Amino acid sequence: MVEFLINKQHDESRQGESFLPDSESSGTLTGKVYIESYGCQMNFADSEVVASILKEKGYGFTADFRMADLIFLNTCSIREKAEQTVRKRLTEFRQVKKERPGLLIGVLGCMAERLKSKFIEEEKLVDIVVGPDAYRSLPELIEEAESGQKGVNVLLSREETYADLTPVRLNSNGVTAFVSIMRGCNNMCSFCVVPFTRGRERSRNPQSILQECRQLLEAGYREVTLLGQNVDSYSWQHSPEDPRVSFADLLEQVASLSPLLRVRFSTSHPKDITDEVLYAMARHENICNYIHLPVQSGSTRILGLMNRTYSRDWYIAKVQRIREIIPDCGLSTDIICGFCTETEEDHLETLSLMEYCDYDLAYMFFYSERPGTPAAKRLTDDIPEAVKKRRLQEVVNLHRNQSLKNMEKEVGKVLKVLIEGNSKKSTSHWFGRSDNNKVVVFPKEGNLCKGDYAEVKIESCTAGTLIGKLHNKTS
Ligand code: 5AD
Ligand code: SF4
């Protein structure tokens, strides 16, 4: 999979992926479910929880919505465009429902939470609306909807982590998996709707996380990505007498399961990533040297208005610290262009910060005001769209040059690559990733398999892909 420069993995770029292979119903129910997911990795992981809850009740799955008795859209609210995409998709499903009135349509995730029962009024043919903390109630809500009522549950919880559920791996390559370790966010960045749609921060019991990772390892998986809105504020205490488990502790415990299991994590808030986490990364070869560290803006004034709680200099010092402790660490970021009151000078500060940080990957957006957020309440969305777009283009152009140069620096090196599957372009090539998250493609030779590690000598590159040749098989 080639990484694109804008929006990949975060939101509307990952649109409407449906993952479920057709399956026979495993229990008493014959209903076939189709799930389509939008948005961040958390949403994709949540769809796997939803699939687990429904599978337990005997539902079967289909990858073709025309064959489904129940269609679920797991939605994203982070920018207006993400919501527009979902609404457009709903109009297509509405057409199917007109032909087949028995079909039930459900909206899950952040948009369900944000719009609540208003969704049912606005989108007349939606039958079920379920927020991110209420997926356990889905079977009852489906029953309600089947009896002609509307099924709505958007209660947010301070405890729900779905810790005891084993997610059904959707569209899995059998090698890499997401493991959710915490939910919600307490940060209140002024532009962000997430604290309102996903509620308060809560951490998942480390035993259940380790158990899930162990099961994945036994099933042949070789990489887990520990997921949360803000993984560095992970914190667990069994009881007041027990020692607290921090994110650094958890990271080490997962990494100690097996040297064969790579560990990644996302997302880190710059204010929360500690030296302990960086030292744990440096100590364990199998914790990948890659950090996603969203900066959002290079201007201290704008960072203040965004309520990011750090300044430009503080962020730069954090990046220096990362490079001191993990010299070859890959670094990615998120950037918002055209936030309220952003001047040309502020924008130039973002560009110069990018020059300094030399990101390997950046997810770049223009500001989209979200109703109910602190910025929507207190600030004016005063940057004209044309200016936002021009600034975004400048940020994208700079990033393209930087990331290409960073790819070129890998040419000539031998990298350890975890093979994830066939290259999209040719089945005679493997596709995998390096430790620092670069996509690597190389011709198949020897008796390597998916899930093996290989040493690959990099011979050339494009902006998104390193192209190499097998140097050595390592396991
Ligand atoms: N407008 C534009 N981008 C946003 N993000 C979050 N909220 C908004 C918004 N209102 C971006 C941030 C965040 C990423 C997941 O999405 O960069 O880190
Ligand atoms: Fe949103 Fe900020 Fe929380 Fe990230 S840290 S989810 S940007 S409020």
Side-chain angles (χ1 to χ4, degrees), residues 229-257:
Q229 241 73 46
N230 186 12
V231 286
D232 298 275
S233 55
Y234 177 89
S235 176
W236 177 268
Q237 208 163 11
H238 283 285
S239 65
E241 309 80 58
D242 288 320
R244 189 179 77 89
V245 180
S246 68
F247 180 58
D249 300 329
L250 179 74
L251 205 49
E252 297 220 59
Q253 289 174 23
V254 176
S256 302
L257 289 175

PDB file of all heavy atoms in Angstrom, residues 229-257:
ATOM      1  N   GLN A 229      -6.539   7.693  20.797  1.00  0.00           N
ATOM      2  CA  GLN A 229      -6.521   9.097  20.372  1.00  0.00           C
ATOM      3  C   GLN A 229      -5.265   9.783  20.892  1.00  0.00           C
ATOM      4  O   GLN A 229      -4.749  10.694  20.296  1.00  0.00           O
ATOM      5  CB  GLN A 229      -7.760   9.808  20.922  1.00  0.00           C
ATOM      6  CG  GLN A 229      -8.661  10.356  19.857  1.00  0.00           C
ATOM      7  CD  GLN A 229      -9.413   9.260  19.142  1.00  0.00           C
ATOM      8  OE1 GLN A 229      -9.948   8.368  19.773  1.00  0.00           O
ATOM      9  NE2 GLN A 229      -9.447   9.316  17.834  1.00  0.00           N
ATOM     10  N   ASN A 230      -4.781   9.289  22.027  1.00  0.00           N
ATOM     11  CA  ASN A 230      -3.646   9.920  22.675  1.00  0.00           C
ATOM     12  C   ASN A 230      -2.921   8.866  23.510  1.00  0.00           C
ATOM     13  O   ASN A 230      -3.017   8.868  24.738  1.00  0.00           O
ATOM     14  CB  ASN A 230      -4.193  11.074  23.536  1.00  0.00           C
ATOM     15  CG  ASN A 230      -3.110  11.901  24.139  1.00  0.00           C
ATOM     16  OD1 ASN A 230      -1.940  11.780  23.764  1.00  0.00           O
ATOM     17  ND2 ASN A 230      -3.476  12.716  25.090  1.00  0.00           N
ATOM     18  N   VAL A 231      -2.201   7.959  22.835  1.00  0.00           N
ATOM     19  CA  VAL A 231      -1.685   6.756  23.512  1.00  0.00           C
ATOM     20  C   VAL A 231      -0.763   7.073  24.689  1.00  0.00           C
ATOM     21  O   VAL A 231      -0.693   6.302  25.647  1.00  0.00           O
ATOM     22  CB  VAL A 231      -0.941   5.795  22.544  1.00  0.00           C
ATOM     23  CG1 VAL A 231      -1.906   5.042  21.653  1.00  0.00           C
ATOM     24  CG2 VAL A 231       0.138   6.495  21.764  1.00  0.00           C
ATOM     25  N   ASP A 232      -0.063   8.201  24.618  1.00  0.00           N
ATOM     26  CA  ASP A 232       0.907   8.500  25.671  1.00  0.00           C
ATOM     27  C   ASP A 232       0.261   8.838  27.000  1.00  0.00           C
ATOM     28  O   ASP A 232       0.931   8.872  28.019  1.00  0.00           O
ATOM     29  CB  ASP A 232       1.830   9.640  25.232  1.00  0.00           C
ATOM     30  CG  ASP A 232       2.600   9.226  24.014  1.00  0.00           C
ATOM     31  OD1 ASP A 232       3.639   8.582  24.160  1.00  0.00           O
ATOM     32  OD2 ASP A 232       2.123   9.496  22.893  1.00  0.00           O
ATOM     33  N   SER A 233      -1.045   9.099  26.995  1.00  0.00           N
ATOM     34  CA  SER A 233      -1.657   9.318  28.312  1.00  0.00           C
ATOM     35  C   SER A 233      -2.311   8.029  28.815  1.00  0.00           C
ATOM     36  O   SER A 233      -3.101   8.072  29.763  1.00  0.00           O
ATOM     37  CB  SER A 233      -2.609  10.510  28.306  1.00  0.00           C
ATOM     38  OG  SER A 233      -3.561  10.372  27.318  1.00  0.00           O
ATOM     39  N   TYR A 234      -1.937   6.904  28.197  1.00  0.00           N
ATOM     40  CA  TYR A 234      -2.395   5.595  28.718  1.00  0.00           C
ATOM     41  C   TYR A 234      -1.960   5.471  30.178  1.00  0.00           C
ATOM     42  O   TYR A 234      -0.817   5.779  30.531  1.00  0.00           O
ATOM     43  CB  TYR A 234      -1.767   4.447  27.904  1.00  0.00           C
ATOM     44  CG  TYR A 234      -2.152   3.088  28.443  1.00  0.00           C
ATOM     45  CD1 TYR A 234      -3.297   2.447  27.982  1.00  0.00           C
ATOM     46  CD2 TYR A 234      -1.407   2.470  29.443  1.00  0.00           C
ATOM     47  CE1 TYR A 234      -3.677   1.211  28.501  1.00  0.00           C
ATOM     48  CE2 TYR A 234      -1.787   1.244  29.971  1.00  0.00           C
ATOM     49  CZ  TYR A 234      -2.920   0.619  29.492  1.00  0.00           C
ATOM     50  OH  TYR A 234      -3.300  -0.591  30.009  1.00  0.00           O
ATOM     51  N   SER A 235      -2.879   5.010  31.008  1.00  0.00           N
ATOM     52  CA  SER A 235      -2.551   4.853  32.426  1.00  0.00           C
ATOM     53  C   SER A 235      -3.519   3.851  33.043  1.00  0.00           C
ATOM     54  O   SER A 235      -4.737   3.976  32.850  1.00  0.00           O
ATOM     55  CB  SER A 235      -2.686   6.209  33.120  1.00  0.00           C
ATOM     56  OG  SER A 235      -2.458   6.066  34.489  1.00  0.00           O
ATOM     57  N   TRP A 236      -2.986   2.861  33.731  1.00  0.00           N
ATOM     58  CA  TRP A 236      -3.859   1.837  34.323  1.00  0.00           C
ATOM     59  C   TRP A 236      -3.375   1.496  35.718  1.00  0.00           C
ATOM     60  O   TRP A 236      -2.181   1.317  35.948  1.00  0.00           O
ATOM     61  CB  TRP A 236      -3.853   0.565  33.466  1.00  0.00           C
ATOM     62  CG  TRP A 236      -4.670  -0.520  34.073  1.00  0.00           C
ATOM     63  CD1 TRP A 236      -4.229  -1.491  34.925  1.00  0.00           C
ATOM     64  CD2 TRP A 236      -6.072  -0.727  33.917  1.00  0.00           C
ATOM     65  NE1 TRP A 236      -5.272  -2.294  35.296  1.00  0.00           N
ATOM     66  CE2 TRP A 236      -6.418  -1.853  34.702  1.00  0.00           C
ATOM     67  CE3 TRP A 236      -7.084  -0.077  33.197  1.00  0.00           C
ATOM     68  CZ2 TRP A 236      -7.722  -2.339  34.777  1.00  0.00           C
ATOM     69  CZ3 TRP A 236      -8.383  -0.565  33.272  1.00  0.00           C
ATOM     70  CH2 TRP A 236      -8.686  -1.684  34.050  1.00  0.00           C
ATOM     71  N   GLN A 237      -4.308   1.399  36.634  1.00  0.00           N
ATOM     72  CA  GLN A 237      -3.980   0.971  37.989  1.00  0.00           C
ATOM     73  C   GLN A 237      -5.052  -0.021  38.428  1.00  0.00           C
ATOM     74  O   GLN A 237      -6.241   0.347  38.474  1.00  0.00           O
ATOM     75  CB  GLN A 237      -3.951   2.184  38.917  1.00  0.00           C
ATOM     76  CG  GLN A 237      -3.031   1.993  40.067  1.00  0.00           C
ATOM     77  CD  GLN A 237      -2.678   3.316  40.734  1.00  0.00           C
ATOM     78  OE1 GLN A 237      -3.286   4.353  40.459  1.00  0.00           O
ATOM     79  NE2 GLN A 237      -1.719   3.268  41.632  1.00  0.00           N
ATOM     80  N   HIS A 238      -4.651  -1.281  38.695  1.00  0.00           N
ATOM     81  CA  HIS A 238      -5.633  -2.291  39.099  1.00  0.00           C
ATOM     82  C   HIS A 238      -6.350  -1.858  40.371  1.00  0.00           C
ATOM     83  O   HIS A 238      -7.553  -1.920  40.482  1.00  0.00           O
ATOM     84  CB  HIS A 238      -4.947  -3.643  39.350  1.00  0.00           C
ATOM     85  CG  HIS A 238      -4.618  -4.354  38.082  1.00  0.00           C
ATOM     86  ND1 HIS A 238      -5.565  -4.987  37.321  1.00  0.00           N
ATOM     87  CD2 HIS A 238      -3.452  -4.515  37.425  1.00  0.00           C
ATOM     88  CE1 HIS A 238      -5.002  -5.523  36.253  1.00  0.00           C
ATOM     89  NE2 HIS A 238      -3.715  -5.233  36.292  1.00  0.00           N
ATOM     90  N   SER A 239      -5.551  -1.435  41.363  1.00  0.00           N
ATOM     91  CA  SER A 239      -6.129  -0.957  42.627  1.00  0.00           C
ATOM     92  C   SER A 239      -5.143   0.051  43.213  1.00  0.00           C
ATOM     93  O   SER A 239      -3.980   0.094  42.790  1.00  0.00           O
ATOM     94  CB  SER A 239      -6.328  -2.125  43.587  1.00  0.00           C
ATOM     95  OG  SER A 239      -5.063  -2.645  43.935  1.00  0.00           O
ATOM     96  N   PRO A 240      -5.569   0.861  44.183  1.00  0.00           N
ATOM     97  CA  PRO A 240      -4.684   1.909  44.682  1.00  0.00           C
ATOM     98  C   PRO A 240      -3.339   1.383  45.187  1.00  0.00           C
ATOM     99  O   PRO A 240      -2.344   2.098  45.161  1.00  0.00           O
ATOM    100  CB  PRO A 240      -5.489   2.548  45.817  1.00  0.00           C
ATOM    101  CG  PRO A 240      -6.905   2.205  45.534  1.00  0.00           C
ATOM    102  CD  PRO A 240      -6.907   0.914  44.782  1.00  0.00           C
ATOM    103  N   GLU A 241      -3.295   0.111  45.627  1.00  0.00           N
ATOM    104  CA  GLU A 241      -2.015  -0.439  46.141  1.00  0.00           C
ATOM    105  C   GLU A 241      -1.078  -0.844  45.007  1.00  0.00           C
ATOM    106  O   GLU A 241       0.128  -0.959  45.199  1.00  0.00           O
ATOM    107  CB  GLU A 241      -2.215  -1.691  47.023  1.00  0.00           C
ATOM    108  CG  GLU A 241      -3.220  -1.576  48.155  1.00  0.00           C
ATOM    109  CD  GLU A 241      -4.652  -1.751  47.672  1.00  0.00           C
ATOM    110  OE1 GLU A 241      -4.945  -2.804  47.091  1.00  0.00           O
ATOM    111  OE2 GLU A 241      -5.452  -0.801  47.846  1.00  0.00           O
ATOM    112  N   ASP A 242      -1.656  -1.119  43.837  1.00  0.00           N
ATOM    113  CA  ASP A 242      -0.836  -1.614  42.725  1.00  0.00           C
ATOM    114  C   ASP A 242      -0.086  -0.473  42.039  1.00  0.00           C
ATOM    115  O   ASP A 242      -0.552   0.664  42.031  1.00  0.00           O
ATOM    116  CB  ASP A 242      -1.724  -2.297  41.682  1.00  0.00           C
ATOM    117  CG  ASP A 242      -2.229  -3.632  42.192  1.00  0.00           C
ATOM    118  OD1 ASP A 242      -1.439  -4.337  42.829  1.00  0.00           O
ATOM    119  OD2 ASP A 242      -3.418  -3.923  41.977  1.00  0.00           O
ATOM    120  N   PRO A 243       1.093  -0.808  41.462  1.00  0.00           N
ATOM    121  CA  PRO A 243       1.797   0.250  40.732  1.00  0.00           C
ATOM    122  C   PRO A 243       1.024   0.613  39.452  1.00  0.00           C
ATOM    123  O   PRO A 243       0.332  -0.224  38.873  1.00  0.00           O
ATOM    124  CB  PRO A 243       3.145  -0.386  40.393  1.00  0.00           C
ATOM    125  CG  PRO A 243       2.925  -1.846  40.511  1.00  0.00           C
ATOM    126  CD  PRO A 243       1.796  -2.081  41.457  1.00  0.00           C
ATOM    127  N   ARG A 244       1.178   1.855  39.032  1.00  0.00           N
ATOM    128  CA  ARG A 244       0.508   2.331  37.819  1.00  0.00           C
ATOM    129  C   ARG A 244       1.238   1.784  36.595  1.00  0.00           C
ATOM    130  O   ARG A 244       2.470   1.724  36.581  1.00  0.00           O
ATOM    131  CB  ARG A 244       0.565   3.860  37.814  1.00  0.00           C
ATOM    132  CG  ARG A 244      -0.253   4.526  36.746  1.00  0.00           C
ATOM    133  CD  ARG A 244      -0.123   6.032  36.855  1.00  0.00           C
ATOM    134  NE  ARG A 244       1.155   6.513  36.316  1.00  0.00           N
ATOM    135  CZ  ARG A 244       1.356   6.859  35.047  1.00  0.00           C
ATOM    136  NH1 ARG A 244       0.369   6.796  34.183  1.00  0.00           N
ATOM    137  NH2 ARG A 244       2.532   7.285  34.647  1.00  0.00           N
ATOM    138  N   VAL A 245       0.486   1.355  35.599  1.00  0.00           N
ATOM    139  CA  VAL A 245       1.090   0.941  34.331  1.00  0.00           C
ATOM    140  C   VAL A 245       1.005   2.131  33.378  1.00  0.00           C
ATOM    141  O   VAL A 245      -0.082   2.601  33.044  1.00  0.00           O
ATOM    142  CB  VAL A 245       0.343  -0.282  33.721  1.00  0.00           C
ATOM    143  CG1 VAL A 245       0.965  -0.709  32.395  1.00  0.00           C
ATOM    144  CG2 VAL A 245       0.315  -1.442  34.707  1.00  0.00           C
ATOM    145  N   SER A 246       2.170   2.645  32.972  1.00  0.00           N
ATOM    146  CA  SER A 246       2.187   3.788  32.065  1.00  0.00           C
ATOM    147  C   SER A 246       2.262   3.287  30.623  1.00  0.00           C
ATOM    148  O   SER A 246       2.417   2.077  30.385  1.00  0.00           O
ATOM    149  CB  SER A 246       3.424   4.649  32.354  1.00  0.00           C
ATOM    150  OG  SER A 246       4.575   3.899  31.967  1.00  0.00           O
ATOM    151  N   PHE A 247       2.213   4.196  29.661  1.00  0.00           N
ATOM    152  CA  PHE A 247       2.327   3.761  28.268  1.00  0.00           C
ATOM    153  C   PHE A 247       3.693   3.127  28.005  1.00  0.00           C
ATOM    154  O   PHE A 247       3.785   2.108  27.312  1.00  0.00           O
ATOM    155  CB  PHE A 247       2.071   4.929  27.309  1.00  0.00           C
ATOM    156  CG  PHE A 247       2.181   4.488  25.881  1.00  0.00           C
ATOM    157  CD1 PHE A 247       1.390   3.472  25.382  1.00  0.00           C
ATOM    158  CD2 PHE A 247       3.113   5.069  25.027  1.00  0.00           C
ATOM    159  CE1 PHE A 247       1.508   3.028  24.064  1.00  0.00           C
ATOM    160  CE2 PHE A 247       3.240   4.642  23.713  1.00  0.00           C
ATOM    161  CZ  PHE A 247       2.431   3.619  23.227  1.00  0.00           C
ATOM    162  N   ALA A 248       4.746   3.698  28.605  1.00  0.00           N
ATOM    163  CA  ALA A 248       6.089   3.122  28.415  1.00  0.00           C
ATOM    164  C   ALA A 248       6.125   1.685  28.947  1.00  0.00           C
ATOM    165  O   ALA A 248       6.686   0.790  28.310  1.00  0.00           O
ATOM    166  CB  ALA A 248       7.131   3.986  29.120  1.00  0.00           C
ATOM    167  N   ASP A 249       5.482   1.452  30.121  1.00  0.00           N
ATOM    168  CA  ASP A 249       5.448   0.093  30.687  1.00  0.00           C
ATOM    169  C   ASP A 249       4.717  -0.851  29.737  1.00  0.00           C
ATOM    170  O   ASP A 249       5.174  -1.956  29.459  1.00  0.00           O
ATOM    171  CB  ASP A 249       4.713   0.074  32.042  1.00  0.00           C
ATOM    172  CG  ASP A 249       5.374   0.973  33.074  1.00  0.00           C
ATOM    173  OD1 ASP A 249       6.607   1.125  33.009  1.00  0.00           O
ATOM    174  OD2 ASP A 249       4.657   1.529  33.931  1.00  0.00           O
ATOM    175  N   LEU A 250       3.572  -0.391  29.262  1.00  0.00           N
ATOM    176  CA  LEU A 250       2.767  -1.245  28.380  1.00  0.00           C
ATOM    177  C   LEU A 250       3.547  -1.598  27.110  1.00  0.00           C
ATOM    178  O   LEU A 250       3.579  -2.750  26.672  1.00  0.00           O
ATOM    179  CB  LEU A 250       1.456  -0.519  28.012  1.00  0.00           C
ATOM    180  CG  LEU A 250       0.545  -1.308  27.079  1.00  0.00           C
ATOM    181  CD1 LEU A 250      -0.145  -2.458  27.810  1.00  0.00           C
ATOM    182  CD2 LEU A 250      -0.511  -0.405  26.445  1.00  0.00           C
ATOM    183  N   LEU A 251       4.175  -0.586  26.558  1.00  0.00           N
ATOM    184  CA  LEU A 251       4.956  -0.767  25.328  1.00  0.00           C
ATOM    185  C   LEU A 251       6.025  -1.852  25.543  1.00  0.00           C
ATOM    186  O   LEU A 251       6.202  -2.756  24.716  1.00  0.00           O
ATOM    187  CB  LEU A 251       5.615   0.576  25.011  1.00  0.00           C
ATOM    188  CG  LEU A 251       6.015   0.918  23.597  1.00  0.00           C
ATOM    189  CD1 LEU A 251       4.913   0.656  22.607  1.00  0.00           C
ATOM    190  CD2 LEU A 251       6.436   2.390  23.522  1.00  0.00           C
ATOM    191  N   GLU A 252       6.707  -1.781  26.671  1.00  0.00           N
ATOM    192  CA  GLU A 252       7.756  -2.772  26.960  1.00  0.00           C
ATOM    193  C   GLU A 252       7.164  -4.157  27.152  1.00  0.00           C
ATOM    194  O   GLU A 252       7.718  -5.152  26.705  1.00  0.00           O
ATOM    195  CB  GLU A 252       8.545  -2.369  28.216  1.00  0.00           C
ATOM    196  CG  GLU A 252       9.272  -1.063  28.022  1.00  0.00           C
ATOM    197  CD  GLU A 252      10.664  -1.064  28.627  1.00  0.00           C
ATOM    198  OE1 GLU A 252      11.485  -1.902  28.222  1.00  0.00           O
ATOM    199  OE2 GLU A 252      10.908  -0.209  29.496  1.00  0.00           O
ATOM    200  N   GLN A 253       5.999  -4.207  27.820  1.00  0.00           N
ATOM    201  CA  GLN A 253       5.384  -5.519  28.052  1.00  0.00           C
ATOM    202  C   GLN A 253       4.970  -6.165  26.732  1.00  0.00           C
ATOM    203  O   GLN A 253       5.167  -7.357  26.515  1.00  0.00           O
ATOM    204  CB  GLN A 253       4.182  -5.390  28.987  1.00  0.00           C
ATOM    205  CG  GLN A 253       4.590  -5.085  30.418  1.00  0.00           C
ATOM    206  CD  GLN A 253       3.389  -4.814  31.325  1.00  0.00           C
ATOM    207  OE1 GLN A 253       2.273  -5.238  31.050  1.00  0.00           O
ATOM    208  NE2 GLN A 253       3.619  -4.103  32.413  1.00  0.00           N
ATOM    209  N   VAL A 254       4.404  -5.367  25.832  1.00  0.00           N
ATOM    210  CA  VAL A 254       3.993  -5.921  24.531  1.00  0.00           C
ATOM    211  C   VAL A 254       5.238  -6.335  23.741  1.00  0.00           C
ATOM    212  O   VAL A 254       5.294  -7.417  23.152  1.00  0.00           O
ATOM    213  CB  VAL A 254       3.126  -4.909  23.736  1.00  0.00           C
ATOM    214  CG1 VAL A 254       2.788  -5.468  22.354  1.00  0.00           C
ATOM    215  CG2 VAL A 254       1.847  -4.572  24.486  1.00  0.00           C
ATOM    216  N   ALA A 255       6.259  -5.481  23.763  1.00  0.00           N
ATOM    217  CA  ALA A 255       7.478  -5.782  22.993  1.00  0.00           C
ATOM    218  C   ALA A 255       8.163  -7.045  23.525  1.00  0.00           C
ATOM    219  O   ALA A 255       8.824  -7.760  22.774  1.00  0.00           O
ATOM    220  CB  ALA A 255       8.435  -4.602  23.053  1.00  0.00           C
ATOM    221  N   SER A 256       7.986  -7.331  24.819  1.00  0.00           N
ATOM    222  CA  SER A 256       8.660  -8.492  25.412  1.00  0.00           C
ATOM    223  C   SER A 256       7.952  -9.805  25.081  1.00  0.00           C
ATOM    224  O   SER A 256       8.475 -10.880  25.394  1.00  0.00           O
ATOM    225  CB  SER A 256       8.744  -8.345  26.941  1.00  0.00           C
ATOM    226  OG  SER A 256       9.434  -7.152  27.234  1.00  0.00           O
ATOM    227  N   LEU A 257       6.776  -9.735  24.450  1.00  0.00           N
ATOM    228  CA  LEU A 257       6.066 -10.987  24.125  1.00  0.00           C
ATOM    229  C   LEU A 257       6.902 -11.859  23.198  1.00  0.00           C
ATOM    230  O   LEU A 257       6.981 -13.057  23.355  1.00  0.00           O
ATOM    231  CB  LEU A 257       4.707 -10.688  23.475  1.00  0.00           C
ATOM    232  CG  LEU A 257       3.624 -10.101  24.375  1.00  0.00           C
ATOM    233  CD1 LEU A 257       2.385  -9.754  23.560  1.00  0.00           C
ATOM    234  CD2 LEU A 257       3.265 -11.076  25.494  1.00  0.00           C
TER     235      LEU A 257
END
